[in-house]
Amino acid sequence: MRVSLKELMDKLGVGHIMGGYETHPWSCYDDERELTCSAEVRMGPDQTDVEAEIQLMYDVPPEGKSPMEQVCLIRLKPVAADQWNATDFNLQGKVFEDKEDTYNWEEKACNFFYAVVQSLGIDEIPDIERLIRREIHSRERKGNQSGEGGGKSPIVRGGQVMGNKGGGGGF
């Protein structure tokens, strides 16, 4: 990914370069589901690290769930002269294990965060599972698995390339 700090802040939905210890929060509450979704971007004290986090908080947690669920935590740091990149990504409370297999996971993590922030910005609880599928796992092709697009390559015969519709050749 490697982007400037300003580009990073734009990718996360902040829109300006944050100062040390600064936070930028979003939040939405759903009365019917008794659920709060919050997101926050935090700048470290010396402006050398950024964290972006999404949480779900239940007034009455569903059976088997805790009252607070960490949806995502992204840690970002400078990797070269004013070039920032994601270094860690926790998704649904676990370290994201597909870093090796997921092309451009750093960009996708930021896209996921931004998609959640967009929903919160219009006072709507986002569909987390749908956004994970769309932003993290879509457009992936690993081995025999398919993502969006792909499919078989068309069969092209030599005669077709040369403009011979009969496929016979003939000079």
Side-chain angles (χ1 to χ4, degrees), residues 98-122:
D98 289 338
K99 288 181 185 175
E100 303 270 327
D101 296 331
T102 302
Y103 173 75
N104 205 8
W105 68 267
E106 303 94 335
E107 181 89 22
K108 290 179 178 191
C110 291
N111 291 346
F112 171 70
F113 186 87
Y114 185 73
V116 168
V117 165
Q118 284 184 310
S119 290
L120 295 176
I122 59 171

Side-chain angles (χ1 to χ4, degrees), residues 6 22 24 27 42 49 68 79 95 98 133 135 153:
K6 172 66 173 124
E22 186 177 348
H24 194 97
S27 186
R42 299 181 288 269
D49 64 296
M68 193 280 295
V79 292
V95 174
D98 289 338
R133 282 191 307 275
E135 300 298 338
S153 297

Side-chain angles (χ1 to χ4, degrees), residues 17-169:
I17 294 177
M18 297 170 60
Y21 292 111
E22 186 177 348
T23 64
H24 194 97
W26 297 264
S27 186
C28 177
Y29 180 73
D30 183 326
D31 288 326
E32 277 184 32
R33 297 190 290 183
E34 298 179 316
L35 173 66
T36 301
C37 181
S38 66
E40 182 176 75
V41 174
R42 299 181 288 269
M43 175 64 80
D46 53 3
Q47 290 184 294
T48 58
D49 64 296
V50 171
E51 288 184 343
E53 183 176 28
I54 300 166
Q55 296 179 344
L56 294 175
M57 289 158 284
Y58 301 93
D59 292 349
V60 179
E63 192 170 320
K65 287 197 175 201
S66 67
M68 193 280 295
E69 177 184 340
Q70 184 184 61
V71 174
C72 131
L73 176 65
I74 309 167
R75 288 191 174 96
L76 307 114
K77 296 188 179 225
V79 292
D82 194 38
Q83 294 293 296
W84 288 67
N85 201 4
T87 57
D88 298 296
F89 180 38
N90 293 359
L91 184 61
Q92 296 182 312
K94 298 178 187 130
V95 174
F96 186 66
E97 297 292 340
D98 289 338
K99 288 181 185 175
E100 303 270 327
D101 296 331
T102 302
Y103 173 75
N104 205 8
W105 68 267
E106 303 94 335
E107 181 89 22
K108 290 179 178 191
C110 291
N111 291 346
F112 171 70
F113 186 87
Y114 185 73
V116 168
V117 165
Q118 284 184 310
S119 290
L120 295 176
I122 59 171
D123 206 30
E124 181 179 284
I125 301 281
D127 181 341
I128 298 295
E129 294 302 322
R130 183 180 67 80
L131 293 178
I132 288 172
R133 282 191 307 275
R134 186 182 85 192
E135 300 298 338
I136 305 295
H137 298 299
S138 70
R139 296 176 297 279
E140 282 298 312
R141 291 176 62 193
K142 295 186 262 180
N144 215 359
Q145 301 172 6
S146 64
E148 290 182 14
K152 285 186 167 183
S153 297
I155 297 172
V156 179
R157 292 177 181 81
Q160 291 172 316
V161 174
M162 302 302 291
N164 298 330
K165 295 190 185 222

